[in-house]
Amino acid sequence: MELFVQRCFDGMFNGAIYASLAVALVMIFRATGLLNFAQGEMAMMCGYIALVFLSSSDSGIAGTQSIGSLLPGHPWPTWLAITGAVLVGFALGALVEELLMRPLGDGSPLAQVNVTIGLLVLLNGLVLQIWGPFGRSFPSPFPSGMNDHFLIAGARLRYTTLGVWAVLLVVIVALGVLLRYTKTGLAFRAITSNRDSAELVGVRVRRSLMLGWGIAAGIGALAASLVGGAIVLEPLTMMKMLIYALAAATIGGLDSPRGAIFGGLIVGLSQSLVPGYLGVPSELSLLPPLVAMVLVLLFRPHGLFGTVPVERV
Amino acid sequence: MTTPTLRVSNLEASYGQIDVLRGLNFEVGEGEVVVVLGANGSGKTTTLRSICNMPIVDSSGTIEVDGVDVSNADTGSIVARGLAHVPQGRGTFPELSTYDNLMIGAYVRKDRKAIEEDITRWFDMFPVLKERRNQTAGSLSGGEQQMLAVSRALMSRPKLLLLDEPSLGLAPIIIENLFDTFSRLNSEEGVTMLIVEQNANLALNIADRGYVLEAGEIALAGDAEKLKNDPAVQEAYLGA
């Protein structure tokens, strides 16, 4: 029993990481109708930037010296550094749309998706080049000492897990309100539904797309900064995360922020529970989430919460 | 002489290497209903797309709305100047509800209360849309979608409504209702209209004037009555 509960808690923590990245993927999908394969690497880049903001100048982390001299009060406290990284993430996202996506034109989603794959490789190389292959540990924004946990049925529920979920839920609610109840959200939905007509009703399509990319990358940066406290940040971290996050987003339904949360939870739990009980070797830990994804898609091709398109002909 | 609501001068347009429009000159006066007739491929749709400066088309020439040159303005600011375009083939947002389709039509407006009033108004004019309020536009029938597309365009309170083949694919009875509505919108609400249409008979019945496009040039122009009785128009478009 104790082991079961502990595995659930572990799954919940990983699930939160996948869910937050999945939410970023869903946001891009809602705003542009595209999948951004570079989402994980953009997030990782921002994670490193948060690290630069909050490390002291003599920490040996590239960039802290030069950037530190520009920032008042550097090194920054954790929350300020995370806020800074989220803002950098927003700018990075908007820049990607402005500089890489827009010149490709509107009619070529395949080319745009390919560019995001290129961006994945590029950013990964950049991070490796600038910060090296070493894993970095990251101060957690939540209390994360040996005793910072609740003891439930003998299992440890860490404050960090709860903290990450709390932030995630706030993000989800805010995003839900933005997409469903605001004019900006209506514009996002209109653009993905019919771009020509959106243009014709006066929606500033370019501005909306930049905003969508910015918000998604900001959420990714938040995700990377939050998990940075619990895992070791290294250049390969996000490759695997992205696969899980894609599975999570697919399970939940690519256009549903709420679905991304459930998808993340399902992926996290299946990853922590199935190998332990079914004897799947840990090298195959990627397997259970993907099996879960296939099973969901077999019965609900648009995911658990995805919108099923209805169009009369 | 008063300034026309829309004045188009020397409009040329091409898709890549293919010239579609070769120097069009025409105007639409305030309160007028003007129809553009023409066979397939004569450049009717391109004319409307160029007026709104939509992507895909390469166009040159001058477009003036109420005397203001908007040739280089982006589509959004042209809409903000009071143009509304109902594109060919419905142009609704299939994944959005009927209500949201109308809301997005008012995107350039800020007067929230009046927007709700307008929605009520178009729901009264097209009661079937009210019944379908929360249904996605994609689940509406062709006729209902066309009504929605027109109401959505009207949500921006346009001075000038551009209609691209509103009768396309609709049953005759629905087409007649739709054209009755256009006629009423013009006489009761004072909406100026530029209608591109293949159904020449109906269009000329509600129009004040008309132009006939042939291979990207204006081949004939005149009052609706005169065009209706023109032997060439009768032969080509009215099947007389």
Side-chain angles (χ1 to χ4, degrees):
Chain A
M1 180 62 193
E2 183 187 324
L3 186 63
F4 173 76
V5 176
Q6 189 59 56
R7 280 177 175 157
C8 283
F9 289 162
D10 292 345
M12 267 176 68
F13 177 71
N14 286 334
I17 307 174
Y18 308 145
S20 48
L21 206 53
V23 169
L25 288 170
V26 166
M27 182 63 217
I28 287 274
F29 188 80
R30 284 288 286 259
T32 69
L34 293 176
L35 267 185
N36 174 18
F37 285 99
Q39 198 80 63
E41 308 304 305
M42 287 164 75
M44 180 182 61
M45 186 108 190
C46 297
Y48 274 96
I49 286 167
L51 202 56
V52 169
F53 284 159
L54 56 75
S55 304
S56 59
S57 300
D58 55 3
S59 61
I61 293 170
T64 44
Q65 214 131 34
S66 48
I67 288 177
S69 62
L70 297 173
L71 299 175
H74 183 271
W76 285 354
T78 312
W79 280 108
L80 188 59
I82 290 178
T83 310
V86 169
L87 292 178
V88 171
F90 184 91
L92 178 67
L95 266 181
V96 167
E97 153 62 20
E98 170 80 26
L99 298 179
L100 296 177
M101 296 297 140
R102 181 169 308 162
L104 291 177
D106 310 332
S108 51
L110 202 56
Q112 294 182 320
V113 170
N114 276 329
V115 166
T116 68
I117 295 175
L119 193 63
L120 183 161
V121 178
L122 175 75
L123 290 179
N124 193 267
L126 264 180
V127 167
L128 199 62
Q129 181 71 33
I130 300 173
W131 288 290
F134 330 104
R136 308 274 184 192
S137 59
F138 196 99
S140 173
F142 308 105
S144 57
M146 284 298 285
N147 296 316
D148 288 326
H149 57 77
F150 293 110
L151 217 53
I152 298 173
R156 291 169 177 197
L157 178 57
R158 286 180 293 166
Y159 292 164
T160 307
T161 307
L162 290 175
V164 173
W165 272 105
V167 173
L168 198 55
L169 291 179
V170 169
V171 168
I172 280 299
V173 170
L175 210 54
V177 169
L178 175 80
L179 286 173
R180 206 176 289 268
Y181 299 110
T182 68
K183 209 167 157 177
T184 312
L186 185 60
F188 282 143
R189 288 187 282 144
I191 291 169
T192 38
S193 180
N194 185 342
R195 190 155 169 168
D196 268 1
S197 285
E199 198 99 52
L200 280 178
V201 294
V203 172
R204 305 279 200 246
V205 174
R206 293 171 163 189
R207 206 186 298 164
S208 284
L209 291 180
M210 274 178 82
L211 188 64
W213 272 88
I215 293 174
I219 295 171
L222 184 64
S225 313
L226 291 183
V227 306
I231 57 167
V232 175
L233 202 60
E234 43 130 355
L236 284 175
T237 311
M238 285 298 176
M239 291 272 192
K240 216 160 129 197
M241 297 286 169
L242 183 75
I243 295 173
Y244 289 125
L246 278 171
T250 313
I251 287 173
L254 268 175
D255 61 352
S256 164
R258 191 168 44 138
I261 293 287
F262 281 93
L265 209 51
I266 289 171
V267 170
L269 288 177
S270 68
Q271 190 196 16
S272 68
L273 291 176
V274 176
Y277 288 108
L278 295 186
V280 179
S282 62
E283 300 84 60
L284 291 181
S285 67
L286 203 57
L287 201 59
L290 298 185
V291 171
M293 181 174 88
V294 171
L295 282 178
V296 167
L297 291 187
L298 267 179
F299 296 102
R300 295 188 66 98
H302 296 280
L304 292 175
F305 296 91
T307 315
V308 181
V310 181
E311 185 145 18
R312 267 165 74 162
V313 286
Chain B
M1 201 185 139
T2 54
T3 319
T5 301
L6 175 74
R7 177 187 280 144
V8 172
S9 334
N10 301 317
L11 181 65
E12 296 185 2
S14 59
Y15 293 94
Q17 298 290 312
I18 307 150
D19 289 337
V20 182
L21 301 178
R22 308 154 195 266
L24 296 191
N25 293 286
F26 66 91
E27 4 178 287
V28 181
E30 197 181 339
E32 265 194 315
V33 175
V34 173
V35 61
V36 178
L37 303 173
N40 289 332
S42 58
K44 304 185 299 293
T45 296
T46 307
T47 307
L48 293 193
R49 283 179 157 260
S50 309
I51 292 171
C52 285
N53 207 359
M54 284 177 74
I56 315 170
V57 197
D58 268 335
S59 60
S60 65
T62 315
I63 312 285
E64 284 163 82
V65 176
D66 282 334
V68 179
D69 187 344
V70 295
S71 319
N72 298 315
D74 61 88
T75 309
S77 23
I78 294 174
V79 175
R81 288 207 169 272
L83 252 75
H85 185 166
V86 180
Q88 198 176 35
R90 302 167 193 178
T92 50
F93 300 94
E95 285 87 4
L96 270 56
S97 68
T98 298
Y99 179 82
D100 280 348
N101 264 274
L102 294 175
M103 278 307 282
I104 194 86
Y107 189 79
V108 292
R109 289 170 57 183
K110 297 202 164 55
D111 44 346
R112 223 196 133 89
K113 205 165 149 248
I115 291 174
E116 291 290 345
E117 284 168 18
D118 278 8
I119 289 184
T120 313
R121 188 152 136 225
W122 306 130
F123 274 166
D124 288 345
M125 184 169 266
F126 302 109
V128 66
L129 293 183
K130 194 174 183 178
E131 287 167 33
R132 305 262 190 269
R133 188 191 150 99
N134 296 319
Q135 251 175 268
T136 56
S139 69
L140 305 188
S141 75
E144 290 161 359
Q145 287 203 38
Q146 193 61 268
M147 293 174 207
L148 179 57
V150 172
S151 327
R152 193 209 63 213
L154 292 168
M155 282 304 294
S156 66
R157 289 206 176 160
K159 276 183 289 209
L160 172 62
L161 188 58
L162 307 179
L163 293 156
D164 196 349
E165 297 221 21
S167 74
L168 195 77
L170 300 183
I173 177 77
I174 294 175
I175 300 178
E176 262 181 57
N177 284 339
L178 206 56
F179 275 77
D180 275 352
T181 309
F182 295 155
S183 193
R184 262 165 59 204
L185 283 171
N186 175 251
S187 56
E188 291 166 20
E189 317 271 341
V191 180
T192 307
M193 295 183 198
L194 178 62
I195 308 179
V196 155
E197 190 46 79
Q198 300 242 29
N199 192 330
N201 210 355
L202 265 171
L204 287 173
N205 274 338
I206 69 159
D208 299 304
R209 290 188 301 117
Y211 294 94
V212 178
L213 269 189
E214 259 168 40
E217 284 169 305
I218 291 173
L220 259 176
D223 292 340
E225 278 307 309
K226 193 186 125 207
L227 285 180
K228 235 191 281 184
N229 298 318
D230 187 286
V233 173
Q234 285 192 336
E235 194 182 336
Y237 304 106
L238 299 175

